[in-house]
Amino acid sequence: MIIAIHSRDVTAEDALAEALGREISLNEGLTTAPGDTVVAHSNRLDHYNDEDETWSSTTWADHLAGPSLEHPLASGPDGDRRAILHVTAHMHPLDRELNHAEWSEIGYRIARVAGIAPPGDDQACQWIAVQAQPGRLDVIANLIRLDGTWSAQPRRLLQTLVAEARSLEADLLLHSSQQQDSPRRDRAPGLEHVASPRVPTATGPLAGILRQLAAEQSGPISTVRQLVEEVGRQAATLPGDQTEAAARDLFWTARRLYGLQEQLGEIASRLQPSEPSAALAPTRPVQAPAASRAAVR
């Protein structure tokens, strides 16, 4: 995953148009229903939007710019009044296709670590996460909070977002760089991002990925297995033949998941490069003592 931070702006039109890959329009509706373009948004959106109402892309842009109009004197710590923040997450070309819930999770976590959506804060920023182009998510926010103050962002925003991207990759089983990320300035002005992830070319990193998957207590398969076991235990306490059969099937499913963990661990062991043994280490020829050489002659 590559994280990009665009130059801030005073309006949201350009950011939303770039996220959509086309110009915004009054005739184009963007909804927040599962499977639609807006996959995540600020927690007080219902205060402004009727669930039966479909907003145009222009209306969304006006909504994001609203706090700037309500608080025209608000400015950042450096006096900058450009309040529209635009962050893009580009998926790796080899990543699988994500579903709506996974895109939504990425959007919420980017907003949270960027300081625009602190948990439980009713006066936080207005923001949306847009998934309109393949392998890409755009988070657009107004840094002016509803109470008129400027949001507190991490001092090293890019590094914070990159760290969260690595965590997301691990949680969602996405491709990740095996090397240290190196932030750099893109040739296009106003866009800062990190180097593109590389696919492992040696068996060692592949074995490491499999070991993470197969971890008995902390791996993602283990998490799923424990959830399946817990549902099975709860089903077993309910009356009825169907719930009893379901509990039995769930326990068998958990057992198969455990077998899958063991199999992945065995494959990881085969992929892990072995240390060169002493028997294969090159040796220098041993010369006979001088007296022995004389005897041979």
Side-chain angles (χ1 to χ4, degrees):
M1 184 186 301
I2 303 175
I3 294 293
I5 303 177
H6 302 255
S7 292
R8 296 210 307 268
D9 204 343
V10 293
T11 64
E13 281 88 350
D14 289 343
L16 188 53
E18 184 169 345
L20 296 172
R22 56 188 179 274
E23 294 296 323
I24 63 174
S25 169
L26 283 170
N27 300 320
E28 178 187 18
L30 303 180
T31 64
T32 60
D36 289 332
T37 306
V38 179
V39 297
H41 52 74
S42 47
N43 60 2
R44 292 195 64 189
L45 181 61
D46 295 338
H47 179 73
Y48 303 93
N49 183 23
D50 189 333
E51 61 180 7
D52 296 327
E53 180 183 5
T54 299
W55 283 6
S56 69
S57 53
T58 301
T59 306
W60 280 109
D62 292 342
H63 170 72
L64 290 170
S68 298
L69 299 177
E70 296 176 11
H71 307 283
L73 300 181
S75 62
D78 55 357
D80 192 346
R81 295 185 179 180
R82 295 174 298 172
I84 300 300
L85 175 71
H86 183 191
V87 177
T88 302
H90 297 275
M91 301 300 107
H92 192 281
L94 297 180
D95 277 333
R96 60 182 172 81
E97 185 175 348
L98 303 180
N99 59 39
H100 182 274
E102 290 169 324
W103 284 120
S104 179
E105 175 73 7
I106 295 173
Y108 277 114
R109 287 173 61 169
I110 287 177
R112 185 164 57 248
V113 302
I116 60 179
D121 189 344
D122 290 337
Q123 299 299 311
C125 303
Q126 292 181 178
W127 64 275
I128 60 173
V130 177
Q131 205 286 299
Q133 302 185 58
R136 168 176 176 160
L137 183 76
D138 292 82
V139 176
I140 307 172
N142 193 312
L143 295 178
I144 301 175
R145 293 162 43 86
L146 298 181
D147 58 10
T149 61
W150 199 272
S151 64
Q153 292 189 281
R155 188 170 63 88
R156 296 187 176 184
L157 178 59
L158 178 60
Q159 287 81 351
T160 301
L161 289 170
V162 169
E164 185 64 20
R166 296 296 163 260
S167 178
L168 281 163
E169 290 164 348
D171 293 343
L172 299 178
L173 302 182
L174 303 176
H175 285 82
S176 178
S177 174
Q178 297 298 316
Q179 298 182 347
Q180 180 68 29
D181 297 305
S182 55
R184 62 180 178 84
R185 177 69 59 176
D186 189 71
R187 292 181 181 178
L191 185 63
E192 188 177 9
H193 63 78
V194 297
S196 176
R198 297 181 180 179
V199 179
T201 58
T203 59
L206 295 178
I209 293 173
L210 291 180
R211 281 198 301 272
Q212 292 177 13
L213 292 175
E216 183 173 349
Q217 298 299 329
S218 60
I221 298 178
S222 174
T223 302
V224 174
R225 174 172 58 82
Q226 293 169 9
L227 288 173
V228 171
E229 290 175 346
E230 178 60 27
V231 174
R233 284 191 291 268
Q234 294 184 16
T237 62
L238 298 176
D241 296 337
Q242 293 299 324
T243 54
E244 182 179 351
R248 184 171 57 253
D249 291 342
L250 287 168
F251 287 134
W252 275 110
T253 300
R255 176 59 189 171
R256 288 195 295 270
L257 287 171
Y258 183 75
L260 176 60
Q261 288 180 263
E262 291 183 325
Q263 185 178 5
L264 290 175
E266 294 174 358
I267 297 173
S269 299
R270 295 200 300 268
L271 286 176
Q272 181 64 39
S274 58
E275 295 294 332
S277 62
L280 298 179
T283 58
R284 297 177 59 186
V286 179
Q287 294 184 349
S292 301
R293 291 200 300 270
V296 172
R297 289 196 296 269

